[in-house]
Amino acid sequence: MGDKKILKLNSSGRSPWYHADGTVTKSYVIGVAGGSASGKTSVAERILKNLNVPWVVIVSMDSFYNVLSPEQSKLAHENNFNFDHPNAFDYNALYDSLYKLKHGKSVNIPIYDFSLHARSEKTTTIYGANVIIFEGIYGLYDKKIRDLMDLKLFVDTDADIRLARRLQRDIAERGRDLEGVLQQYTRFVKPAFDDHIQPTVKYADVIIPRGLENVVAIDLITKHVQRELTERKMHLRWDLANTPVEDEVPPDVLVLPETNQIKGMHTILRDKNTPRDEFVFYAERLSTIIVEAAFNLLPFEKTTVTTPVDAEYEGMVFRKQLCGVSILRAGGTMETGLRRVHSDAVIGKLLIQTDPSTGEPQLHYCKLPDNVKDHQVVLMDATIGTGAAGLMAIRVLLDHDVPEDQIIFTVFIATPVGLNVIAKAFPRVKIVTSMVDPVLSKETLYIEPGIGNFGDRYFGTEDD
Ligand SMILES: Nc1ncnc2c1ncn2[C@@H]1O[C@H](COP(=O)(O)OP(=O)(O)O)[C@@H](O)[C@H]1O
Ligand SMILES: Nc1ccn([C@@H]2O[C@H](COP(=O)(O)O)[C@@H](O)[C@H]2O)c(=O)n1
Ligand SMILES: [Mg+2]
Protein backbone atom coordinates (compact mmCIF):
# COMPACT_ATOMS: atom_id res chain seq x y z
CA MET A 1 0.00 0.00 0.00
CA GLY A 2 1.27 3.50 -0.81
CA ASP A 3 1.52 5.46 2.38
CA LYS A 4 2.26 9.18 2.32
CA LYS A 5 2.12 11.44 5.31
CA ILE A 6 2.00 15.12 4.64
CA LEU A 7 2.93 16.99 7.77
CA LYS A 8 1.99 20.49 6.81
CA LEU A 9 1.37 22.19 3.53
CA ASN A 10 2.75 25.69 3.72
CA SER A 11 0.72 27.08 0.88
CA SER A 12 -2.76 28.37 0.52
CA GLY A 13 -4.00 25.28 -1.26
CA ARG A 14 -3.79 23.77 -4.70
CA SER A 15 -5.27 22.32 -7.91
CA PRO A 16 -5.07 23.02 -11.58
CA TRP A 17 -8.26 22.63 -13.58
CA TYR A 18 -8.95 19.61 -15.69
CA HIS A 19 -11.09 19.66 -18.82
CA ALA A 20 -13.35 17.12 -20.47
CA ASP A 21 -10.84 16.52 -23.27
CA GLY A 22 -8.19 15.51 -20.75
CA THR A 23 -6.20 18.71 -21.05
CA VAL A 24 -5.16 20.66 -18.02
CA THR A 25 -5.27 24.40 -17.47
CA LYS A 26 -1.68 24.90 -16.48
CA SER A 27 -0.76 26.79 -13.36
CA TYR A 28 0.05 30.47 -13.73
CA VAL A 29 3.76 30.90 -13.02
CA ILE A 30 5.25 34.17 -11.76
CA GLY A 31 9.03 34.47 -11.63
CA VAL A 32 10.60 36.96 -9.22
CA ALA A 33 14.32 37.81 -9.52
CA GLY A 34 16.57 40.49 -8.02
CA GLY A 35 19.62 40.95 -5.83
CA SER A 36 19.98 39.33 -2.44
CA ALA A 37 17.84 41.16 0.17
CA SER A 38 16.15 43.24 -2.52
CA GLY A 39 12.82 41.99 -1.16
CA LYS A 40 12.00 39.07 -3.50
CA THR A 41 10.64 36.79 -0.78
CA SER A 42 8.70 39.64 0.81
CA VAL A 43 7.20 40.67 -2.55
CA ALA A 44 6.25 37.05 -3.33
CA GLU A 45 4.51 36.73 0.04
CA ARG A 46 2.67 40.02 -0.46
CA ILE A 47 1.46 39.00 -3.92
CA LEU A 48 0.24 35.69 -2.48
CA LYS A 49 -1.67 37.50 0.25
CA ASN A 50 -3.14 40.17 -2.01
CA LEU A 51 -4.15 37.73 -4.75
CA ASN A 52 -6.66 36.13 -2.39
CA VAL A 53 -7.27 33.15 -4.62
CA PRO A 54 -7.04 29.53 -3.55
CA TRP A 55 -4.01 27.40 -4.08
CA VAL A 56 -1.08 29.74 -4.50
CA VAL A 57 2.39 28.43 -3.64
CA ILE A 58 5.79 30.05 -3.29
CA VAL A 59 8.77 28.06 -4.49
CA SER A 60 12.12 29.48 -3.46
CA MET A 61 15.26 28.96 -5.50
CA ASP A 62 17.17 28.43 -2.23
CA SER A 63 15.66 24.93 -2.07
CA PHE A 64 17.65 24.04 -5.18
CA TYR A 65 21.19 24.92 -4.10
CA ASN A 66 23.59 22.15 -5.15
CA VAL A 67 24.54 19.72 -2.41
CA LEU A 68 28.02 20.64 -1.15
CA SER A 69 30.97 18.29 -0.82
CA PRO A 70 32.62 18.18 2.66
CA GLU A 71 35.37 20.53 1.38
CA GLN A 72 32.82 22.99 -0.01
CA SER A 73 30.84 22.80 3.21
CA LYS A 74 33.97 23.70 5.18
CA LEU A 75 34.52 26.72 2.93
CA ALA A 76 30.86 27.71 3.36
CA HIS A 77 31.21 27.76 7.15
CA GLU A 78 34.20 30.09 6.72
CA ASN A 79 32.09 32.37 4.46
CA ASN A 80 34.39 31.43 1.60
CA PHE A 81 31.99 29.55 -0.65
CA ASN A 82 30.45 31.33 -3.60
CA PHE A 83 26.68 30.85 -3.22
CA ASP A 84 26.11 33.69 -5.66
CA HIS A 85 27.65 32.14 -8.74
CA PRO A 86 25.06 30.94 -11.28
CA ASN A 87 26.53 27.41 -11.06
CA ALA A 88 25.62 27.16 -7.37
CA PHE A 89 22.10 25.95 -8.29
CA ASP A 90 20.70 22.71 -9.67
CA TYR A 91 18.70 24.08 -12.63
CA ASN A 92 17.65 20.62 -13.85
CA ALA A 93 15.99 19.69 -10.56
CA LEU A 94 14.46 23.15 -10.42
CA TYR A 95 13.06 22.86 -13.95
CA ASP A 96 11.66 19.37 -13.24
CA SER A 97 9.86 20.57 -10.12
CA LEU A 98 8.42 23.70 -11.75
CA TYR A 99 7.40 21.78 -14.86
CA LYS A 100 5.61 19.12 -12.83
CA LEU A 101 3.89 21.69 -10.65
CA LYS A 102 2.80 23.71 -13.65
CA HIS A 103 1.27 20.58 -15.18
CA GLY A 104 -0.63 19.58 -12.06
CA LYS A 105 1.73 16.98 -10.62
CA SER A 106 2.80 16.88 -7.00
CA VAL A 107 6.39 17.61 -6.01
CA ASN A 108 8.51 17.36 -2.89
CA ILE A 109 10.42 20.59 -2.42
CA PRO A 110 13.49 20.46 -0.15
CA ILE A 111 13.57 22.96 2.71
CA TYR A 112 16.92 24.81 2.80
CA ASP A 113 18.75 25.53 6.03
CA PHE A 114 20.99 28.61 5.65
CA SER A 115 22.79 27.95 8.95
CA LEU A 116 23.83 24.47 7.80
CA HIS A 117 24.38 25.48 4.15
CA ALA A 118 22.39 22.38 3.28
CA ARG A 119 18.93 21.02 2.64
CA SER A 120 17.25 20.02 5.86
CA GLU A 121 15.75 16.56 6.29
CA LYS A 122 12.29 17.96 5.72
CA THR A 123 10.56 18.52 2.41
CA THR A 124 7.30 20.22 1.58
CA THR A 125 4.84 18.29 -0.55
CA ILE A 126 2.91 20.48 -2.95
CA TYR A 127 -0.09 19.04 -4.79
CA GLY A 128 -0.24 21.28 -7.86
CA ALA A 129 -1.23 24.94 -7.68
CA ASN A 130 -3.28 27.59 -9.41
CA VAL A 131 -0.47 30.08 -9.11
CA ILE A 132 3.20 29.31 -8.54
CA ILE A 133 5.39 32.20 -7.42
CA PHE A 134 9.00 31.22 -8.02
CA GLU A 135 11.62 33.53 -6.49
CA GLY A 136 15.38 33.67 -6.30
CA ILE A 137 18.47 35.64 -7.27
CA TYR A 138 18.71 33.73 -10.57
CA GLY A 139 14.96 33.48 -11.06
CA LEU A 140 15.22 34.85 -14.62
CA TYR A 141 18.61 33.37 -15.52
CA ASP A 142 17.78 30.03 -17.16
CA LYS A 143 15.90 30.14 -20.48
CA LYS A 144 14.06 26.83 -20.03
CA ILE A 145 12.83 27.99 -16.64
CA ARG A 146 11.91 31.45 -17.96
CA ASP A 147 9.84 29.76 -20.66
CA LEU A 148 7.64 28.20 -17.98
CA MET A 149 6.73 31.67 -16.70
CA ASP A 150 3.64 33.69 -17.47
CA LEU A 151 4.91 36.82 -15.74
CA LYS A 152 8.50 37.84 -15.01
CA LEU A 153 9.33 40.36 -12.29
CA PHE A 154 12.59 41.96 -11.19
CA VAL A 155 12.84 43.60 -7.78
CA ASP A 156 15.14 46.60 -8.05
CA THR A 157 16.35 47.91 -4.69
CA ASP A 158 19.38 50.17 -4.12
CA ALA A 159 22.61 48.34 -3.32
CA ASP A 160 23.17 50.11 0.02
CA ILE A 161 19.67 49.21 1.21
CA ARG A 162 20.21 45.62 0.10
CA LEU A 163 23.44 45.43 2.09
CA ALA A 164 21.86 46.97 5.18
CA ARG A 165 18.92 44.55 5.03
CA ARG A 166 21.13 41.58 4.37
CA LEU A 167 23.28 42.39 7.38
CA GLN A 168 20.26 42.61 9.65
CA ARG A 169 18.53 39.53 8.24
CA ASP A 170 21.54 37.23 8.05
CA ILE A 171 22.61 38.03 11.61
CA ALA A 172 19.06 37.69 12.96
CA GLU A 173 17.83 34.74 10.88
CA ARG A 174 20.68 32.94 9.13
CA GLY A 175 23.19 32.49 11.97
CA ARG A 176 25.84 34.89 10.58
CA ASP A 177 28.03 37.58 12.14
CA LEU A 178 28.82 41.11 10.92
CA GLU A 179 32.30 40.34 9.68
CA GLY A 180 31.24 37.20 7.84
CA VAL A 181 28.34 38.91 6.05
CA LEU A 182 30.59 41.76 4.90
CA GLN A 183 33.30 39.36 3.74
CA GLN A 184 30.82 37.26 1.75
CA TYR A 185 29.14 40.36 0.38
CA THR A 186 32.26 42.04 -1.00
CA ARG A 187 33.84 38.84 -2.27
CA PHE A 188 30.83 37.09 -3.85
CA VAL A 189 27.44 38.79 -3.50
CA LYS A 190 28.23 42.19 -5.01
CA PRO A 191 30.31 40.96 -8.00
CA ALA A 192 27.73 38.27 -8.83
CA PHE A 193 24.96 40.85 -8.75
CA ASP A 194 26.83 43.18 -11.08
CA ASP A 195 28.03 40.46 -13.47
CA HIS A 196 25.15 37.99 -13.61
CA ILE A 197 22.01 39.04 -11.73
CA GLN A 198 21.52 42.67 -12.76
CA PRO A 199 21.81 41.69 -16.49
CA THR A 200 18.73 39.43 -16.14
CA VAL A 201 16.60 42.53 -15.66
CA LYS A 202 16.23 42.58 -19.45
CA TYR A 203 14.00 39.50 -19.25
CA ALA A 204 11.55 41.10 -16.82
CA ASP A 205 8.04 42.12 -17.88
CA VAL A 206 7.80 44.42 -14.88
CA ILE A 207 10.53 45.99 -12.75
CA ILE A 208 9.52 46.75 -9.17
CA PRO A 209 11.64 49.65 -7.86
CA ARG A 210 11.96 49.55 -4.02
CA GLY A 211 10.28 46.15 -3.71
CA LEU A 212 7.67 45.82 -0.98
CA GLU A 213 7.41 49.58 -0.53
CA ASN A 214 6.09 49.90 -4.05
CA VAL A 215 2.45 49.37 -3.19
CA VAL A 216 1.26 50.69 -6.55
CA ALA A 217 3.37 48.24 -8.56
CA ILE A 218 2.31 45.29 -6.39
CA ASP A 219 -1.33 46.34 -6.68
CA LEU A 220 -1.12 46.54 -10.50
CA ILE A 221 0.59 43.16 -10.68
CA THR A 222 -2.02 41.58 -8.39
CA LYS A 223 -4.88 42.92 -10.49
CA HIS A 224 -3.23 41.75 -13.69
CA VAL A 225 -2.83 38.21 -12.34
CA GLN A 226 -6.40 38.14 -11.03
CA ARG A 227 -7.65 39.16 -14.48
CA GLU A 228 -5.58 36.44 -16.12
CA LEU A 229 -6.95 33.85 -13.69
CA THR A 230 -10.50 34.96 -14.35
CA GLU A 231 -9.93 34.57 -18.07
CA ARG A 232 -8.63 31.07 -17.46
CA LYS A 233 -11.63 30.42 -15.20
CA MET A 234 -9.29 29.78 -12.26
CA HIS A 235 -10.91 32.41 -10.07
CA LEU A 236 -12.89 30.11 -7.75
CA ARG A 237 -12.54 31.22 -4.17
CA TRP A 238 -13.17 29.63 -0.83
CA ASP A 239 -14.26 32.97 0.55
CA LEU A 240 -17.88 32.50 -0.35
CA ALA A 241 -18.61 36.19 0.12
CA ASN A 242 -16.98 36.61 -3.29
CA THR A 243 -18.26 33.41 -4.87
CA PRO A 244 -21.11 33.81 -7.32
CA VAL A 245 -23.88 31.63 -5.87
CA GLU A 246 -25.18 29.05 -8.31
CA ASP A 247 -28.58 27.57 -7.48
CA GLU A 248 -28.78 25.12 -10.34
CA VAL A 249 -27.60 21.56 -9.86
CA PRO A 250 -25.17 20.73 -12.71
CA PRO A 251 -26.94 18.51 -15.28
CA ASP A 252 -24.70 15.45 -14.93
CA VAL A 253 -25.02 15.11 -11.16
CA LEU A 254 -27.15 12.11 -10.18
CA VAL A 255 -29.58 13.11 -7.41
CA LEU A 256 -31.58 10.12 -6.14
CA PRO A 257 -35.31 10.39 -6.83
CA GLU A 258 -37.09 11.82 -3.81
CA THR A 259 -39.12 8.72 -2.98
CA ASN A 260 -40.94 8.37 0.33
CA GLN A 261 -38.31 5.87 1.36
CA ILE A 262 -35.39 8.28 0.78
CA LYS A 263 -37.29 11.17 2.32
CA GLY A 264 -38.17 8.99 5.32
CA MET A 265 -34.52 8.12 5.93
CA HIS A 266 -33.50 11.77 5.60
CA THR A 267 -36.20 12.71 8.11
CA ILE A 268 -34.70 10.35 10.69
CA LEU A 269 -31.10 11.36 9.96
CA ARG A 270 -31.82 15.09 10.06
CA ASP A 271 -33.83 14.94 13.29
CA LYS A 272 -31.52 16.16 16.07
CA ASN A 273 -33.32 13.88 18.54
CA THR A 274 -32.56 10.68 16.66
CA PRO A 275 -30.53 8.39 18.94
CA ARG A 276 -27.14 7.25 17.69
CA ASP A 277 -27.96 3.57 17.04
CA GLU A 278 -30.88 4.59 14.85
CA PHE A 279 -28.72 7.22 13.11
CA VAL A 280 -26.06 4.59 12.32
CA PHE A 281 -28.68 2.11 11.04
CA TYR A 282 -30.25 4.59 8.63
CA ALA A 283 -26.92 6.12 7.57
CA GLU A 284 -25.75 2.65 6.54
CA ARG A 285 -29.02 1.85 4.82
CA LEU A 286 -28.96 5.11 2.89
CA SER A 287 -25.27 4.77 2.01
CA THR A 288 -26.03 1.33 0.55
CA ILE A 289 -28.69 2.85 -1.70
CA ILE A 290 -26.33 5.67 -2.77
CA VAL A 291 -23.50 3.24 -3.58
CA GLU A 292 -25.99 1.00 -5.46
CA ALA A 293 -26.88 4.02 -7.59
CA ALA A 294 -23.19 4.79 -8.13
CA PHE A 295 -22.63 1.18 -9.19
CA ASN A 296 -25.10 1.65 -12.02
CA LEU A 297 -22.65 4.17 -13.50
CA LEU A 298 -19.79 1.67 -13.54
CA PRO A 299 -18.82 -0.33 -16.62
CA PHE A 300 -20.47 -3.78 -16.70
CA GLU A 301 -19.84 -6.43 -19.34
CA LYS A 302 -22.23 -8.92 -20.88
CA THR A 303 -21.84 -12.51 -19.73
CA THR A 304 -23.73 -15.77 -19.95
CA VAL A 305 -24.30 -18.16 -17.05
CA THR A 306 -26.04 -21.51 -16.82
CA THR A 307 -28.95 -21.73 -14.41
CA PRO A 308 -29.71 -24.81 -12.19
CA VAL A 309 -32.12 -26.03 -14.87
CA ASP A 310 -29.28 -25.91 -17.43
CA ALA A 311 -30.72 -22.94 -19.27
CA GLU A 312 -28.55 -20.04 -20.35
CA TYR A 313 -28.98 -16.64 -18.81
CA GLU A 314 -27.59 -13.56 -20.55
CA GLY A 315 -26.42 -11.37 -17.71
CA MET A 316 -23.98 -8.61 -16.78
CA VAL A 317 -20.81 -8.76 -14.73
CA PHE A 318 -18.59 -6.14 -13.12
CA ARG A 319 -15.02 -7.28 -13.77
CA LYS A 320 -13.06 -4.19 -12.74
CA GLN A 321 -11.29 -3.66 -9.46
CA LEU A 322 -13.07 -1.31 -7.10
CA CYS A 323 -11.46 1.01 -4.57
CA GLY A 324 -13.48 3.03 -2.08
CA VAL A 325 -11.66 6.15 -0.90
CA SER A 326 -13.11 7.81 2.17
CA ILE A 327 -12.43 11.43 2.99
CA LEU A 328 -11.91 11.12 6.72
CA ARG A 329 -13.65 11.19 8.99
CA ALA A 330 -17.18 11.55 7.69
CA GLY A 331 -16.55 9.66 4.45
CA GLY A 332 -15.88 6.57 6.55
CA THR A 333 -19.62 6.43 7.25
CA MET A 334 -20.17 5.17 3.68
CA GLU A 335 -17.73 2.27 3.93
CA THR A 336 -20.35 -0.18 5.26
CA GLY A 337 -22.63 0.67 2.35
CA LEU A 338 -19.77 0.15 -0.10
CA ARG A 339 -18.87 -3.22 1.36
CA ARG A 340 -22.49 -4.37 1.26
CA VAL A 341 -22.60 -3.58 -2.43
CA HIS A 342 -19.13 -4.90 -3.30
CA SER A 343 -17.42 -6.91 -0.61
CA ASP A 344 -14.11 -7.14 -2.55
CA ALA A 345 -13.56 -3.38 -2.65
CA VAL A 346 -10.24 -2.18 -1.27
CA ILE A 347 -10.35 0.94 0.87
CA GLY A 348 -8.12 4.02 0.73
CA LYS A 349 -8.24 7.00 3.06
CA LEU A 350 -7.53 10.70 2.81
CA LEU A 351 -7.54 13.03 5.80
CA ILE A 352 -8.47 16.46 4.54
CA GLN A 353 -9.29 19.15 7.03
CA THR A 354 -10.98 22.35 6.06
CA ASP A 355 -10.06 25.54 7.87
CA PRO A 356 -13.41 26.65 9.36
CA SER A 357 -12.54 30.34 9.01
CA THR A 358 -11.47 30.28 5.38
CA GLY A 359 -12.98 27.04 4.09
CA GLU A 360 -9.57 26.16 2.71
CA PRO A 361 -8.63 22.46 2.62
CA GLN A 362 -5.39 20.88 3.79
CA LEU A 363 -4.31 17.32 3.11
CA HIS A 364 -2.85 15.71 6.24
CA TYR A 365 -2.82 12.02 5.43
CA CYS A 366 -3.05 9.92 2.29
CA LYS A 367 -3.19 6.14 2.12
CA LEU A 368 -4.08 4.64 -1.23
CA PRO A 369 -3.37 1.26 -2.82
CA ASP A 370 -0.23 1.36 -4.99
CA ASN A 371 -2.16 0.47 -8.12
CA VAL A 372 -5.11 2.74 -7.38
CA LYS A 373 -4.98 4.00 -10.98
CA ASP A 374 -6.18 0.59 -12.18
CA HIS A 375 -9.32 0.77 -10.04
CA GLN A 376 -12.72 2.28 -10.45
CA VAL A 377 -12.77 4.66 -7.50
CA VAL A 378 -15.78 5.47 -5.37
CA LEU A 379 -14.79 8.60 -3.46
CA MET A 380 -16.90 8.92 -0.31
CA ASP A 381 -17.77 11.84 1.92
CA ALA A 382 -20.86 12.64 3.96
CA THR A 383 -21.48 16.02 2.34
CA ILE A 384 -20.33 18.43 -0.34
CA GLY A 385 -20.53 21.92 1.18
CA THR A 386 -18.07 24.36 -0.40
CA GLY A 387 -16.62 21.54 -2.48
CA ALA A 388 -13.13 22.35 -1.23
CA ALA A 389 -12.34 18.98 0.38
CA GLY A 390 -13.77 17.12 -2.60
CA LEU A 391 -11.65 19.15 -5.02
CA MET A 392 -8.53 18.37 -3.09
CA ALA A 393 -9.39 14.66 -2.83
CA ILE A 394 -9.96 14.44 -6.59
CA ARG A 395 -6.71 16.31 -7.18
CA VAL A 396 -4.86 13.75 -5.05
CA LEU A 397 -6.47 10.85 -6.97
CA LEU A 398 -5.48 12.42 -10.30
CA ASP A 399 -2.01 12.88 -8.96
CA HIS A 400 -1.95 9.11 -8.38
CA ASP A 401 -2.83 8.74 -12.08
CA VAL A 402 -6.47 7.72 -11.55
CA PRO A 403 -8.21 8.87 -14.75
CA GLU A 404 -10.87 11.47 -14.04
CA ASP A 405 -13.65 9.38 -15.59
CA GLN A 406 -12.83 6.47 -13.26
CA ILE A 407 -13.95 8.49 -10.22
CA ILE A 408 -17.47 8.55 -8.79
CA PHE A 409 -17.99 10.89 -5.86
CA THR A 410 -20.78 9.78 -3.49
CA VAL A 411 -22.32 11.86 -0.69
CA PHE A 412 -25.49 11.99 1.42
CA ILE A 413 -26.10 15.71 0.89
CA ALA A 414 -24.64 18.34 -1.42
CA THR A 415 -25.11 22.06 -1.99
CA PRO A 416 -25.53 23.56 -5.47
CA VAL A 417 -22.49 25.79 -4.94
CA GLY A 418 -20.23 22.85 -4.02
CA LEU A 419 -21.58 20.71 -6.87
CA ASN A 420 -20.85 23.51 -9.35
CA VAL A 421 -17.33 24.01 -8.02
CA ILE A 422 -16.51 20.32 -8.49
CA ALA A 423 -18.38 19.82 -11.77
CA LYS A 424 -16.61 22.82 -13.34
CA ALA A 425 -13.17 21.78 -12.20
CA PHE A 426 -13.57 18.08 -12.94
CA PRO A 427 -16.38 17.63 -15.45
CA ARG A 428 -15.69 13.94 -15.99
CA VAL A 429 -16.00 12.98 -12.33
CA LYS A 430 -19.48 11.55 -11.73
CA ILE A 431 -21.28 12.74 -8.62
CA VAL A 432 -24.07 10.89 -6.82
CA THR A 433 -25.96 12.42 -3.91
CA SER A 434 -29.12 11.37 -2.14
CA MET A 435 -30.32 14.95 -1.75
CA VAL A 436 -29.42 18.58 -2.49
CA ASP A 437 -29.78 21.18 0.27
CA PRO A 438 -30.20 24.75 -0.94
CA VAL A 439 -28.21 26.74 1.60
CA LEU A 440 -24.54 26.95 2.50
CA SER A 441 -24.16 29.57 5.22
CA LYS A 442 -21.53 32.12 4.18
CA GLU A 443 -20.74 32.80 7.82
CA THR A 444 -20.48 29.31 9.28
CA LEU A 445 -20.11 27.26 6.06
CA TYR A 446 -22.85 24.95 7.49
CA ILE A 447 -25.28 23.29 5.11
CA GLU A 448 -28.92 24.14 5.81
CA PRO A 449 -31.19 22.43 6.71
CA GLY A 450 -28.37 19.86 6.81
CA ILE A 451 -27.75 16.93 9.10
CA GLY A 452 -25.29 18.45 11.59
CA ASN A 453 -21.84 16.95 11.99
CA PHE A 454 -22.35 13.62 10.27
CA GLY A 455 -19.11 12.08 11.56
CA ASP A 456 -19.80 13.07 15.18
CA ARG A 457 -23.36 11.74 15.07
CA TYR A 458 -22.29 8.48 13.41
CA PHE A 459 -19.22 7.78 15.53
CA GLY A 460 -20.82 9.05 18.75
CA THR A 461 -18.27 11.80 19.36
CA GLU A 462 -20.69 14.71 19.65
CA ASP A 463 -19.55 15.62 23.17
CA ASP A 464 -15.79 15.39 22.46
N1 LIG B 1 10.29 47.41 2.22
C1 LIG B 1 10.96 46.89 3.24
N2 LIG B 1 11.19 47.61 4.34
C2 LIG B 1 11.87 47.09 5.38
N3 LIG B 1 12.38 45.85 5.41
C3 LIG B 1 12.18 45.08 4.33
C4 LIG B 1 11.48 45.55 3.20
N4 LIG B 1 11.46 44.56 2.28
C5 LIG B 1 12.12 43.52 2.82
N5 LIG B 1 12.56 43.83 4.04
C6 LIG B 1 13.35 42.98 4.93
O1 LIG B 1 14.63 42.85 4.32
C7 LIG B 1 15.13 41.55 4.42
C8 LIG B 1 15.35 41.01 3.02
O2 LIG B 1 14.09 40.86 2.38
P1 LIG B 1 13.73 39.52 1.62
O3 LIG B 1 12.32 39.61 1.21
O4 LIG B 1 14.16 38.36 2.43
O5 LIG B 1 14.68 39.69 0.35
P2 LIG B 1 15.24 38.64 -0.67
O6 LIG B 1 14.34 37.47 -0.68
O7 LIG B 1 15.28 39.37 -1.95
O8 LIG B 1 16.59 38.27 -0.20
C9 LIG B 1 14.12 40.76 5.21
O9 LIG B 1 14.51 40.73 6.55
C10 LIG B 1 12.84 41.56 5.06
O10 LIG B 1 11.99 41.42 6.17
N1 LIG C 1 24.18 28.51 2.40
C1 LIG C 1 23.90 29.70 1.86
C2 LIG C 1 23.14 29.83 0.72
C3 LIG C 1 22.88 31.08 0.22
N2 LIG C 1 23.36 32.18 0.83
C4 LIG C 1 23.07 33.51 0.31
O1 LIG C 1 21.68 33.65 0.11
C5 LIG C 1 21.44 34.58 -0.91
C6 LIG C 1 20.17 34.19 -1.65
O2 LIG C 1 19.05 34.32 -0.82
P1 LIG C 1 18.18 35.68 -0.82
O3 LIG C 1 16.97 35.37 -0.01
O4 LIG C 1 19.04 36.72 -0.19
O5 LIG C 1 17.89 35.97 -2.23
C7 LIG C 1 22.63 34.56 -1.82
O6 LIG C 1 23.05 35.88 -2.09
C8 LIG C 1 23.71 33.82 -1.01
O7 LIG C 1 24.83 34.59 -0.79
C9 LIG C 1 24.12 32.03 1.94
O8 LIG C 1 24.57 33.04 2.53
N3 LIG C 1 24.37 30.79 2.45
MG1 LIG D 1 14.71 35.41 -0.17
Side-chain angles (χ1 to χ4, degrees):
M1 299 279 269
D3 189 344
K4 285 189 193 170
K5 232 176 205 164
I6 288 88
L7 297 173
K8 189 162 190 302
L9 299 168
N10 69 344
S11 71
S12 66
R14 52 221 77 219
S15 181
W17 307 99
Y18 286 75
H19 303 297
D21 62 1
T23 57
V24 179
T25 297
K26 294 174 199 145
S27 312
Y28 189 90
V29 181
I30 306 173
V32 187
S36 174
S38 59
K40 301 177 296 298
T41 306
S42 310
V43 164
E45 285 167 355
R46 183 62 55 82
I47 294 174
L48 180 149
K49 181 165 172 276
N50 290 2
L51 269 178
N52 189 26
V53 294
W55 300 359
V56 183
V57 293
I58 296 177
V59 175
S60 176
M61 200 165 181
D62 310 329
S63 302
F64 295 89
Y65 266 113
N66 287 320
V67 177
L68 302 187
S69 65
E71 296 74 35
Q72 290 172 323
S73 180
K74 186 166 173 292
L75 287 176
H77 282 96
E78 293 160 357
N79 304 307
N80 275 326
F81 185 81
N82 190 352
F83 287 104
D84 292 76
H85 192 275
N87 294 346
F89 295 92
D90 183 347
Y91 294 94
N92 289 333
L94 184 45
Y95 175 80
D96 279 357
S97 290
L98 286 180
Y99 183 89
K100 278 191 189 153
L101 265 182
K102 182 167 173 118
H103 292 84
K105 287 280 165 192
S106 73
V107 293
N108 285 321
I109 304 278
I111 298 172
Y112 195 73
D113 186 328
F114 283 92
S115 315
L116 300 174
H117 307 290
R119 294 170 191 177
S120 68
E121 305 253 294
K122 290 184 195 149
T123 58
T124 305
T125 304
I126 304 179
Y127 271 94
N130 280 342
V131 181
I132 300 158
I133 310 178
F134 165 60
E135 62 89 20
I137 47 178
Y138 286 110
L140 300 183
Y141 183 79
D142 184 273
K143 174 157 183 347
K144 258 175 92 180
I145 293 173
R146 274 200 313 273
D147 288 345
L148 294 174
M149 294 172 186
D150 298 275
L151 179 64
K152 300 184 266 304
L153 310 176
F154 190 95
V155 181
D156 185 17
T157 303
D158 283 351
D160 48 357
I161 296 180
R162 278 191 275 116
L163 173 57
R165 287 190 185 151
R166 177 152 170 150
L167 270 168
Q168 271 188 327
R169 182 196 62 190
D170 284 10
I171 293 167
E173 296 168 21
R174 295 188 179 177
R176 306 295 151 83
D177 58 25
L178 179 76
E179 203 185 325
V181 177
L182 291 176
Q183 177 185 327
Q184 196 183 346
Y185 186 84
T186 42
R187 189 154 174 218
F188 303 120
V189 181
K190 187 176 181 319
F193 179 78
D194 296 339
D195 296 346
H196 306 295
I197 298 169
Q198 171 68 29
T200 66
V201 72
K202 62 174 175 281
Y203 301 119
D205 300 309
V206 182
I207 299 167
I208 312 177
R210 304 181 308 285
L212 204 54
E213 277 166 37
N214 199 330
V215 179
V216 175
I218 292 175
D219 191 45
L220 288 172
I221 290 163
T222 306
K223 292 208 166 73
H224 170 78
V225 178
Q226 281 169 336
R227 259 197 317 275
E228 291 280 307
L229 296 179
T230 306
E231 266 172 35
R232 296 178 183 200
K233 301 199 184 340
M234 292 164 77
H235 58 290
L236 298 168
R237 294 160 187 264
W238 307 136
D239 58 334
L240 289 179
N242 293 308
T243 306
V245 175
E246 306 201 46
D247 297 328
E248 299 293 321
V249 174
D252 293 335
V253 171
L254 174 59
V255 185
L256 298 190
E258 205 175 286
T259 59
N260 287 346
Q261 193 194 182
I262 300 277
K263 196 132 176 113
M265 281 187 265
H266 266 269
T267 308
I268 294 165
L269 290 171
R270 288 166 187 269
D271 185 342
K272 67 176 185 183
N273 295 317
T274 297
R276 186 175 157 239
D277 54 349
E278 215 177 318
F279 186 90
V280 170
F281 178 83
Y282 283 101
E284 290 180 350
R285 198 176 142 203
L286 185 55
S287 71
T288 309
I289 294 171
I290 296 167
V291 177
E292 292 277 10
F295 236 73
N296 272 331
L297 306 176
L298 291 174
F300 278 67
E301 292 170 24
K302 284 190 177 157
T303 190
T304 306
V305 291
T306 308
T307 69
V309 293
D310 280 336
E312 298 222 313
Y313 175 77
E314 304 271 322
M316 302 292 274
V317 63
F318 177 71
R319 288 198 207 280
K320 307 268 179 193
Q321 294 173 284
L322 190 78
C323 175
V325 175
S326 35
I327 302 179
L328 296 176
R329 203 174 43 139
T333 62
M334 281 226 179
E335 286 178 16
T336 306
L338 182 82
R339 289 215 185 279
R340 280 182 190 162
V341 178
H342 193 74
S343 55
D344 290 343
V346 290
I347 300 285
K349 294 183 191 294
L350 302 174
L351 176 58
I352 294 172
Q353 286 179 327
T354 305
D355 182 331
S357 59
T358 62
E360 194 170 288
Q362 291 225 314
L363 176 69
H364 293 274
Y365 180 73
C366 167
K367 193 173 173 87
L368 296 170
D370 282 340
N371 55 350
V372 63
K373 68 179 170 49
D374 302 325
H375 290 67
Q376 296 287 323
V377 174
V378 176
L379 179 64
M380 301 174 286
D381 202 350
T383 55
I384 295 176
T386 62
L391 274 190
M392 175 162 270
I394 295 166
R395 180 78 275 288
V396 173
L397 291 173
L398 295 175
D399 191 62
H400 283 77
D401 297 321
V402 180
E404 194 179 317
D405 55 9
Q406 268 173 228
I407 303 170
I408 304 183
F409 192 8
T410 56
V411 291
F412 293 97
I413 299 178
T415 63
V417 70
L419 288 171
N420 277 290
V421 162
I422 292 173
K424 278 192 183 141
F426 303 113
R428 288 190 294 164
V429 169
K430 300 169 198 85
I431 308 176
V432 180
T433 181
S434 67
M435 222 169 254
V436 174
D437 273 19
V439 178
L440 179 66
S441 160
K442 288 191 172 187
E443 288 74 39
T444 61
L445 298 183
Y446 289 157
I447 298 174
E448 293 172 16
I451 263 179
N453 187 320
F454 207 100
D456 276 349
R457 295 187 69 192
Y458 184 92
F459 293 109
T461 47
E462 281 173 285
D463 299 329
D464 286 4

